[in-house]
Amino acid sequence: MSDLNDVGQQDNWRCWLCDAPVDPDASTNSDLGPSIDNFAAAKGKKGAPAIERLAHRACNTMKGKIAPVVPWSQDLFVVDPSTIFESVERLKAKGGREVVARCPSQSDADQAAAWLLDRLSRLAPGVAFETQINPGGGQFMLVLRAG
Ligand SMILES: [Zn+2]
């Protein structure tokens, strides 16, 4: 069992699920208060190290009872976006690549790629992700790859 302060510092006082700041001084009984999410540890993979992440109390998966949701930014123009958390779990487990969204223009795709890499640097630190943009059929596929 880690100290809340250690987990908070590890995640820079930002919620690993919604990506918004967490106030270290907020009450741990309030919805936006800090809490430790034991999601990865609760998955029960034998031999997998327990990973503890900082979450708002309201965002906490309660040891995996609630499916984690990692939203795309509202500022992006993405069509048919994949569910970020599931894509990341698949790519972490197996490597390879997935189309994670389609965008109407190259600049939309560039923005989405930059946002996604930044977001993943906090969601899955230590995993090397790359993006690729493939034009085709009048749109731009955003491809995510784990190396
Ligand atoms: Zn949150």
Side-chain angles (χ1 to χ4, degrees):
M1 194 69 189
S2 294
D3 184 68
L4 182 57
N5 270 322
D6 293 343
V7 177
Q9 276 169 22
Q10 159 207 288
D11 281 339
N12 263 325
W13 295 103
R14 210 187 261 248
C15 176
W16 80 292
L17 291 166
C18 78
D19 207 34
V22 179
D23 179 356
D25 300 321
S27 162
T28 52
N29 291 318
S30 72
D31 281 354
L32 291 179
S35 68
I36 296 174
D37 194 345
N38 292 295
F39 179 80
K43 294 291 270 185
K45 279 184 205 149
K46 284 205 175 104
I51 298 168
E52 296 171 314
R53 302 297 303 265
L54 182 74
H56 293 113
R57 190 165 166 271
C59 296
N60 200 301
T61 64
M62 303 295 168
K63 300 192 176 179
K65 284 195 204 100
I66 300 162
V69 175
V70 176
W72 288 79
S73 165
Q74 300 284 330
D75 299 335
L76 300 172
F77 204 147
V78 287
V79 180
D80 289 344
S82 72
T83 49
I84 292 174
F85 191 84
E86 278 80 0
S87 289
V88 164
E89 289 293 294
R90 278 193 299 271
L91 290 170
K92 265 165 62 183
K94 295 189 206 154
R97 57 177 68 200
E98 279 189 21
V99 175
V100 290
R102 295 181 287 120
C103 299
S105 76
Q106 175 81 47
S107 76
D108 291 322
D110 287 340
Q111 274 179 44
W115 177 86
L116 188 62
L117 287 179
D118 176 62
R119 182 67 190 87
L120 296 184
S121 71
R122 292 182 297 279
L123 180 65
V127 184
F129 286 107
E130 281 172 26
T131 54
Q132 197 181 328
I133 296 163
N134 295 342
Q139 52 189 358
F140 298 81
M141 313 286 177
L142 175 57
V143 178
L144 182 63
R145 208 175 96 176

